[in-house]
Amino acid sequence: MGSIAFGDESSIHSGKTPCYGIGCFVLPYANLLDVIEGLEQIYSQHGLAYELKWNRVRDYRPIVEASIDGIRLLLSSRAMWQSIIVHKQSYVKWRTNAEEAFLPNLPVRCP
């Protein structure tokens, strides 16, 4: 029946990290309404009315618990996790030499 993907990026704007990541959950359409309802319940249960971001998950208990509940929901929903980690220097090379951008100098350490 098909799938839908929900994605986001991390560390694209930060100059401090050598890499950035793009990741998404790919969810079968058949599970979409259950996941939406589950997430709405999690937000309501924990009194949250804003987007959860990883950099906000610290010591505020409702955010921590909502994050754990959301992860459990996704793991039980038949969602798949797809991601790519990109070395930023390779992207810069793309502007000058596309062939070289496909063959970055290895090894690259991305935290």
Side-chain angles (χ1 to χ4, degrees):
M1 180 175 181
S3 298
I4 186 168
F6 300 92
D8 203 3
E9 86 292 329
S10 181
S11 298
I12 285 181
H13 302 295
S14 173
K16 297 179 182 178
T17 60
C19 301
Y20 69 85
I22 299 173
C24 64
F25 282 100
V26 180
L27 184 67
Y29 276 118
N31 299 79
L32 180 59
L33 291 179
D34 290 337
V35 170
I36 290 171
E37 289 173 4
L39 291 173
E40 287 173 347
Q41 288 176 349
I42 290 168
Y43 267 72
S44 176
Q45 177 184 351
H46 297 287
L48 302 175
Y50 48 84
E51 178 185 7
L52 291 179
K53 296 210 170 255
W54 289 117
N55 62 356
R56 292 184 192 157
V57 179
R58 298 220 192 314
D59 296 329
Y60 185 56
R61 190 167 185 88
I63 292 177
V64 171
E65 290 178 2
S67 298
I68 292 169
D69 290 346
I71 291 168
R72 284 186 181 137
L73 174 68
L74 288 170
L75 290 174
S76 67
S77 70
R78 295 188 50 214
M80 295 181 299
W81 173 253
Q82 301 284 321
S83 63
I84 183 172
I85 304 299
V86 179
H87 185 237
K88 289 178 182 177
Q89 187 60 37
S90 295
Y91 180 75
V92 172
K93 291 177 187 178
W94 182 266
R95 296 177 189 164
T96 59
N97 184 338
E99 283 298 318
E100 189 176 333
F102 280 110
L103 302 169
N105 295 329
L106 297 177
V108 174
R109 293 185 54 125
C110 297

